[in-house]
Amino acid sequence: MMQTAIVHEWITGWVGSEKVTGALAEMFSEAPVYVTVYDPKVLKGTPLEGREVRGSFLQGWPGAVRGHRWFLGLMPVAVEQHDLSEFELVISSSHAVAHGAIVPAHALHVCYCHTPMRYAWDLSARYAHEAGSGIKGLLWRLVMHRLRVWDEASSSRVDAWVANSRYVAERVRRWYGVADVAVVHPPVAVERFDPTQEREGYYLVAGRLVGYKRVDLAVRACAGTGRELVVAGDGPERKRLEAVAAGSGARVGGSGKGAIRFVGAVDDGELARLMSRCKGLIFAGEEDFGIVPVEAQAAGAPVIGLGRGGVTETVVDGSSGVLFAEQATPSVTEALERFEHGGVAWDAARIAEHAARFSGERFEREMRAVVDAAWAAKRRRIAGSASTEHEEQR
């Protein structure tokens, strides 16, 4: 059996990229998982519980697990220190530094890229602005410059690139100069959702409450039109969003017309119930892929989503949802009007059938095909190099 290893950045939560890493670990059941740092408590109840997870030298450092983002400048060193010399196949699940792992020359390195490092590339100006112009800002800019230089150079260590969406594939081509990027959408546990439940009158927002997800647009659009909204999730934006709801004239808490209810973080079972009963999911953020909209569709719920990023690859406008063009409250409000009065009879069974295309079985099948093709290409390169060397010796 081929000796295989999986490399990921860090495991301090269990969200999109970690779930993909878990799916890869299930595909390659004997593969150890290498990370810079991990929280053992997070592994409970996941495919990595009881599996061999190997941290880097940072694992034992005080504060490195909880405050891993403060150690970004050391992450390239940490990922390069993994000893992968015994492996023939290395699969990195990368959104920051995992693709920079050093593998032996004979091994195949396949990178499943969730995104190139966004804070170092396409969001660098925003993060630099937030860091300010003082000493903190200067240090941030220096660290990001060094990370960009390392990131671009280390991208050449990958034999085959796989992106989680066409949107991300284009960024891999732009930042790393890679011509051939396969696209394999992430696995979604579509089977755990029930599209047959009776719909209730509320719209739903689900996910971590952080600024770039633009939950405020859903809050303002619903508050301004008297629509009921349930916000499932927690995060640093929660208090501000509650203030936005109150300031927009909504009734914060309770249910019914004009109510906006913040229910906090919910478990998978409760999230599935909310999705199966909601009128529709509002998704105003620009995501690389976006698992939440696929989950909502698996539950038979249409998606009212921003028509940029990965959502354009998972939501069919007019069939499984409505896409809007701008991250602005009027644009969301207009989309809600089209959703309710556009003459479309939303068919929960058909929407769920569309979401079934993103199943775990499909992910495994497509990833194995990518690995097989990458092995064939690597063998051709080795054979070509040997042939050239032989000709030169003659």
Side-chain angles (χ1 to χ4, degrees):
M1 182 178 293
M2 188 181 304
Q3 290 286 93
T4 303
I6 297 167
V7 182
H8 188 52
E9 270 84 21
W10 47 76
I11 300 178
T12 57
W14 196 255
V15 289
S17 63
E18 287 80 14
K19 289 180 179 179
V20 172
T21 301
L24 291 169
E26 288 182 313
M27 285 177 58
F28 299 95
S29 58
E30 301 300 319
V33 178
Y34 289 81
V35 292
T36 56
V37 293
Y38 69 97
D39 184 346
K41 296 190 296 294
V42 171
L43 305 184
K44 293 181 179 179
T46 76
L48 296 186
E49 184 175 11
R51 290 286 295 270
E52 186 178 5
V53 179
R54 302 176 182 176
S56 73
F57 66 87
L58 290 175
Q59 182 66 30
W61 285 27
V65 174
R66 183 181 295 273
H68 61 279
R69 296 189 186 279
W70 291 102
F71 294 82
L72 276 176
L74 291 175
M75 290 301 180
V77 179
V79 80
E80 288 180 342
Q81 295 305 303
H82 293 318
D83 181 5
L84 303 172
S85 58
E86 65 184 286
F87 300 104
E88 301 166 90
L89 171 64
V90 175
I91 300 180
S92 56
S93 169
S94 182
H95 58 78
V97 300
H99 68 275
I102 297 175
V103 308
H106 67 271
L108 177 70
H109 182 181
V110 176
C111 175
Y112 187 92
C113 185
H114 306 277
T115 177
M117 206 182 317
R118 298 197 77 171
Y119 31 83
W121 294 104
D122 48 324
L123 295 183
S124 61
R126 178 191 298 181
Y127 280 95
H129 175 75
E130 292 175 357
S133 57
I135 295 297
K136 178 183 175 182
L138 176 62
L139 289 173
W140 175 263
R141 287 167 175 82
L142 288 172
V143 169
M144 286 303 106
H145 173 71
R146 290 175 62 87
L147 275 177
R148 275 191 293 273
V149 172
W150 175 87
D151 193 42
E152 184 177 11
S154 64
S155 67
S156 64
R157 301 172 187 172
V158 175
D159 292 296
W161 286 90
V162 187
N164 66 355
S165 66
R166 295 191 297 274
Y167 179 61
V168 167
E170 184 55 37
R171 295 217 305 277
V172 172
R173 294 186 186 101
R174 178 183 303 135
W175 302 130
Y176 300 148
V178 177
D180 186 14
V181 184
V183 175
V184 176
H185 292 119
V188 181
V190 294
E191 67 282 351
R192 68 184 182 87
F193 296 92
D194 182 3
T196 67
Q197 296 293 307
E198 183 178 350
R199 298 284 151 184
E200 298 179 14
Y202 63 88
Y203 288 96
L204 177 68
V205 168
R208 186 157 169 74
L209 304 184
V210 292
Y212 83 91
K213 291 185 179 290
R214 297 309 308 270
V215 176
D216 60 304
L217 299 180
V219 170
R220 288 191 172 94
C222 289
T225 56
R227 291 178 168 93
E228 183 180 1
L229 177 68
V230 173
V231 180
D234 214 337
E237 285 275 288
R238 178 167 177 172
K239 287 187 177 180
R240 187 182 77 85
L241 291 168
E242 290 175 339
V244 167
S248 300
R251 178 162 42 89
V252 180
S255 60
K257 186 176 180 180
I260 295 183
R261 187 163 78 254
F262 293 81
V263 298
V266 297
D267 61 25
D268 287 347
E270 176 63 8
L271 180 61
R273 189 193 71 80
L274 288 169
M275 286 181 169
S276 293
R277 292 186 173 274
C278 72
K279 192 172 185 176
L281 175 87
I282 304 176
F283 196 81
E286 183 174 349
E287 293 280 4
D288 301 312
F289 174 72
I291 287 179
V292 167
V294 177
E295 291 179 330
Q297 290 171 91
V303 175
I304 299 91
L306 178 68
R308 295 203 298 265
V311 168
T312 63
E313 301 173 40
T314 63
V315 178
V316 180
D317 194 22
S319 177
S320 67
V322 172
L323 300 180
F324 55 89
E326 299 178 6
Q327 282 184 315
T329 302
S331 191
V332 179
T333 302
E334 191 272 335
L336 290 170
E337 288 294 320
R338 280 193 289 129
F339 172 75
E340 292 178 355
H341 307 297
V344 177
W346 302 104
D347 186 332
R350 185 176 64 183
I351 293 170
E353 183 179 357
H354 166 70
R357 298 166 48 236
F358 302 96
S359 69
E361 291 81 5
R362 182 270 324 158
F363 172 80
E364 179 172 350
R365 182 176 64 253
E366 293 181 2
M367 279 301 296
R368 289 196 184 280
V370 166
V371 171
D372 289 344
W375 267 122
K378 188 176 182 71
R379 292 188 186 104
R380 286 195 298 270
R381 287 196 303 271
I382 293 172
S385 297
S387 177
T388 301
E389 183 179 345
H390 178 69
E391 287 297 321
E392 288 176 351
Q393 289 176 350
R394 290 179 61 188

